[in-house]
C-alpha cells in the first residue's frame, strides 16, 4: 500500500513530504554519479590536469587550458628555460593547472601576437625549418621528454618478441611494458661513441629520433625530442609550440585524450586469452551458482531435515570471515587437490553462497504447500517439481544471485592472482591490477582502464534492472 493515498497527494503537507523525498533521492544520485564523472574526466586527462579531480574536461571549453595542455604533452615539467617570463610559482604541472587566471593570461600572450601577425606565414615556415633541422642533427645532442605510454609500442616494433629483446639487452624483461628509459633520459650521450653504447642505449637514441620522424610525417611543427640546450633555441621552440596549437590544437587534444585508452587496449584487451578467460570464468561461475545454491536451498526447505537450523547457521557463519582470513586455508586446499593454475580453482570456491542459500530457502518456505501436494497427486517426480514449479516462481531471486555471481567472478582479482600464477589463466581483473601497479606514476592511464572494465558491469545492471528490482521487492512482499 502506498505511503500517501492519491486523495492526499494534492495537500500541502503531502507535496512538501514528496519534495523532501525527491530531494534526498536526487542528492543520493549525485553522490554516486559525481565520483564516476570524475573518473571518466580523469581518464581523458594528463599530468597537467589530472590533479584537478574535475567532473568535466575543462579543455573542451577553454582555449587557454587546451594550449597549456598542448605544452604539457611535450614537457615533463613546465619549461622555465623556454618561457623565462612565466610565474615563478609554476614549479610543476599541478600548480600550473591550479592557476587558472595565470594560464589564461599566459595563453593570450603567446597566441594573440602570432594570430594577428602579418608575417605569420614566415613564422610558420620558420617553425617547419626548425623541426627539419633537428632531423639532420646528431641524436646525441638531443633530450627527449618521452611519454612512457609510447615506450612499449616502439620497442615492440623494433624487436617483435620479448625473447629477441632479451637476447640483445643486458637486462631481461618479462614484458615490453616493464621497459623504461628513465636512466637513459637523464644521461648525456655527447661524449659517447655509438660503438660504446649498449643495445638499450642505442634503442633509446632510435626512440628519440622516431619522435622527430613522426612529427615530420604528421605535418607537425614540434616533437618531444628537442635540443639539449633549450634555452639557446627558446624563441624557435615557443614559435613551434604556438604554431602547433593553432593548426593542430584540436587534433592533438583528442589524440592525447584517447592515448590513455589506446594504452589500456594494448596492455589489457590485446592479451591473447584475457577476454576468453574472463568470459569463461563468468559463464561457469553463473551456471555453477544457479545450480548448487537452488538445489541446496530446495533440499533444506522441502525435506525438513532435523539439522536444518544448524546447517543454515553454519552457512551464515561463513560470511563472518573476510576473504583475507580464508585465503590461506583456501589456497592450501586448492594446492592439495592439485587444482592450482586451473579454472576449477577460480570457479569452485565461489560456487556455494551462504547468503544465497538462506534467501532462496526463505522464499521456498513461503511458497504454498498446495502446489507441492497437487504435483504429488498428479504423479510428478521431485525433479519435475523442482524444475517446473519451484524455479519458475523464483526467477527474480535467481536473477539477483546470477548478478552477484557475475560481479564476484568478473571483478575478483585477489583470489585469481593467488591460485593462478600463469599469465595464460589471468582474467581482465588481474591484468587491470597489474596495470595499476605498472603505471602507478600515470594514474590517468589507470583511470581509463577502470572506466573500460566497469562498462560490462554497468551494462549488465542496466539490462537487468527490472528483474533486479523484482528480486528486491518480491521477498519483502512475501
Amino acid at each position: 500500500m502506498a505511503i500517501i493515498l492519491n486523495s492526499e497527494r494534492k495537500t500541502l503537507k503531502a507535496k512538501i513530504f514528496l519534495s523532501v523525498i525527491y530531494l534526498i533521492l536526487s542528492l543520493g544520485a549525485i553522490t554516486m554519479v559525481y565520483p564516476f564523472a570524475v573518473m571518466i574526466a580523469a581518464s581523458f586527462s594528463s599530468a597537467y590536469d589530472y590533479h584537478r579531480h574535475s567532473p568535466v574536461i575543462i579543455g573542451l571549453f577553454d582555449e587557454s587550458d587546451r594550449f597549456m595542455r598542448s605544452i604539457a604533452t611535450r614537457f615533463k615539467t613546465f619549461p622555465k628555460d623556454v618561457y623565462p617570463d612565466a610565474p615563478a610559482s609554476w614549479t610543476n604541472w599541478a600548480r600550473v593547472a591550479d592557476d587558472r587566471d595565470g594560464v589564461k593570461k599566459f595563453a593570450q600572450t603567446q597566441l594573440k601576437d602570432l594570430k594577428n601577425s602579418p608575417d605569420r606565414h614566415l613564422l610558420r615556415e620558420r617553425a617547419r625549418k626548425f623541426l627539419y633541422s633537428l632531423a639532420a642533427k646528431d641524436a646525441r645532442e638531443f633530450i627527449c621528454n618521452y611519454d612512457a605510454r609510447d615506450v612499449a609500442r616502439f620497442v615492440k616494433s623494433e624487436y617483435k618478441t620479448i625473447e629477441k629483446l632479451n637476447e640483445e639487452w643486458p637486462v631481461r624483461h618479462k614484458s615490453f611494458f616493464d621497459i623504461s628509459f628513465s636512466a637513459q633520459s637523464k644521461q648525456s650521450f655527447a661524449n659517447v661513441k655509438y660503438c660504446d653504447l649498449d643495445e638499450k642505449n642505442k634503442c633509446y637514441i632510435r626512440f628519440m629520433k622516431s619522435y622527430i620522424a613522426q612529427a615530420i610525417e604528421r605535418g607537425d611543427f614540434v616533437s618531444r625530442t628537442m635540443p639539449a640546450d633549450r634555452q639557446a633555441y627558446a624563441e624557435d621552440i615557443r614559435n613551434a609550440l604556438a604554431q602547433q596549437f593553432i593548426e593542430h590544437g584540436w587534433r592533438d587534444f583528442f589524440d592525447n585524450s584517447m592515448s590513455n585508452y589506446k594504452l589500456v587496449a594494448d596492455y589489457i584487451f590485446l592479451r591473447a586469452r584475457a577476454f576468453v578467460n574472463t568470459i569463461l570464468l563468468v559463464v561457469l561461475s553463473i551456471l555453477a551458482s544457479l545450480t548448487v545454491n537452488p538445489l541446496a536451498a530446495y533440499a533444506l526447505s522441502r525435506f525438513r531435515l532435523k539439522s536444518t537450523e544448524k546447517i543454515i547457521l553454519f552457512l551464515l557463519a561463513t560470511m563472518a570471515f573476510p576473504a583475507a582470513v580464508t585465503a590461506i586455508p583456501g589456497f592450501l586446499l586448492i594446492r592439495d587437490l592439485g587444482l592450482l593454475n586451473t579454472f576449477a580453482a577460480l570457479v569452485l570456491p565461489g560456487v556455494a553462497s551462504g547468503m544465497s542459500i538462506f534467501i532462496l530457502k526463505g522464499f521456498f518456505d513461503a511458497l504454498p504447500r498446495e502446489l507441492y501436494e497437487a504435483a504429488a497427486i498428479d504423479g510428478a517426480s521431485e525433479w519435475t517439481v523442482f524444475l517446473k514449479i519451484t524455479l519458475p516462481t523464483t526467477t527474480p531471486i535467481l536473477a539477483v544471485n546470477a548478478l552477484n555471481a557475475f560481479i564476484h567472478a568478473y571483478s575478483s582479482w585477489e583470489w585469481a592472482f593467488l591460485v593462478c600464477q600463469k599469465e595464460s589463466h589471468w582474467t581482465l581483473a588481474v591484468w587491470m591490477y597489474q596495470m595499476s601497479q605498472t603505471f602507478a606514476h600515470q594514474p590517468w592511464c589507470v583511470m581509463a582502464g577502470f572506466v573500460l572494465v566497469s562498462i560490462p558491469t554497468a551494462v549488465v545492471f542496466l539490462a537487468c534492472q527490472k528483474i533486479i528490482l523484482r528480486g528486491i521487492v518480491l521477498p519483502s512482499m512475501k
Side-chain angles (χ1 to χ4, degrees), residues 346-362:
L346 300 176
V347 177
L348 291 179
V351 166
S353 170
M355 178 57 70
S356 296
I357 295 174
F358 175 74
I359 294 175
L360 284 169
K361 179 187 178 300

Side-chain angles (χ1 to χ4, degrees), residues 396-435:
I397 307 297
L398 295 177
V400 174
N401 288 339
L403 180 64
N404 291 334
F406 166 78
I407 293 175
H408 181 268
Y410 181 77
S411 61
S412 177
W413 61 268
E414 301 97 330
W415 178 255
F417 188 70
L418 181 65
V419 297
C420 289
Q421 298 297 319
K422 291 183 179 180
E423 294 185 1
S424 60
H425 285 70
W426 284 1
T427 61
L428 291 178
V430 180
W431 282 116
M432 187 62 232
Y433 167 74
Q434 290 293 98
M435 181 181 175

Side-chain angles (χ1 to χ4, degrees), residues 162-163 165-166 172-179 271 421 423 426 434:
I162 195 69
E163 290 77 14
L165 179 140
N166 287 330
R172 294 183 60 84
H173 295 273
K174 292 181 62 178
S175 168
F176 289 111
F177 292 96
D178 297 333
I179 299 170
R271 300 289 180 175
Q421 298 297 319
E423 294 185 1
W426 284 1
Q434 290 293 98

Side-chain angles (χ1 to χ4, degrees), residues 155-383:
V155 177
K156 187 175 182 179
S157 67
E158 289 274 300
Y159 294 92
K160 308 304 180 185
T161 63
I162 195 69
E163 290 77 14
K164 184 177 179 181
L165 179 140
N166 287 330
E167 291 177 359
E168 302 185 22
W169 282 27
V171 178
R172 294 183 60 84
H173 295 273
K174 292 181 62 178
S175 168
F176 289 111
F177 292 96
D178 297 333
I179 299 170
S180 172
F181 286 133
S182 58
Q184 283 70 24
S185 64
K186 296 175 183 178
Q187 69 184 42
S188 173
F189 296 98
N191 299 318
V192 181
K193 296 180 179 180
Y194 283 104
C195 59
D196 295 332
L197 300 175
D198 62 28
E199 188 61 31
K200 184 174 183 179
N201 291 339
K202 291 180 182 179
C203 182
Y204 176 67
I205 289 178
R206 296 195 299 270
F207 179 56
M208 288 194 299
K209 297 181 72 173
S210 72
Y211 273 123
I212 300 176
Q214 290 174 9
I216 294 175
E217 183 180 354
R218 285 162 53 93
D220 292 341
F221 298 92
V222 66
S223 75
R224 289 179 175 272
T225 301
M226 297 183 182
D229 188 6
R230 292 189 310 203
Q231 190 171 4
Y233 296 91
E235 187 176 352
D236 286 321
I237 296 175
R238 289 196 298 268
N239 176 50
L241 289 169
Q243 294 285 353
Q244 178 70 21
F245 177 75
I246 291 173
E247 295 201 15
H248 306 299
W250 279 110
R251 186 199 65 184
D252 290 348
F253 176 77
F254 287 114
D255 285 349
N256 185 258
S257 298
M258 295 305 300
S259 59
N260 297 335
Y261 287 91
K262 292 178 182 177
L263 175 68
V264 174
D266 290 342
Y267 192 89
I268 298 180
F269 292 94
L270 296 183
R271 300 289 180 175
R273 292 186 55 84
F275 258 127
V276 176
N277 291 347
T278 303
I279 293 174
L280 185 59
L281 174 60
V282 167
V283 171
L284 290 177
S285 298
I286 293 176
L287 292 178
S289 177
L290 294 182
T291 301
V292 174
N293 293 325
L295 284 173
Y298 181 78
L300 293 173
S301 173
R302 176 81 167 127
F303 300 116
R304 305 293 182 179
L305 303 176
K306 293 181 179 180
S307 303
T308 297
E309 290 75 11
K310 295 181 180 179
I311 295 174
I312 291 295
L313 182 62
F314 173 77
L315 293 175
L316 293 178
T318 60
M319 300 174 57
F321 301 97
V325 174
T326 60
I328 294 178
F331 173 80
L332 295 176
L333 178 61
I334 294 296
R335 184 199 63 182
D336 294 341
L337 294 174
L339 297 178
L340 292 178
N341 295 311
T342 64
F343 272 97
L346 300 176
V347 177
L348 291 179
V351 166
S353 170
M355 178 57 70
S356 296
I357 295 174
F358 175 74
I359 294 175
L360 284 169
K361 179 187 178 300
F363 199 88
F364 292 161
D365 289 343
L367 293 177
R369 293 290 104 184
E370 290 80 2
L371 291 175
Y372 298 111
E373 293 173 358
I377 294 173
D378 292 340
S381 65
E382 202 65 48
W383 278 108

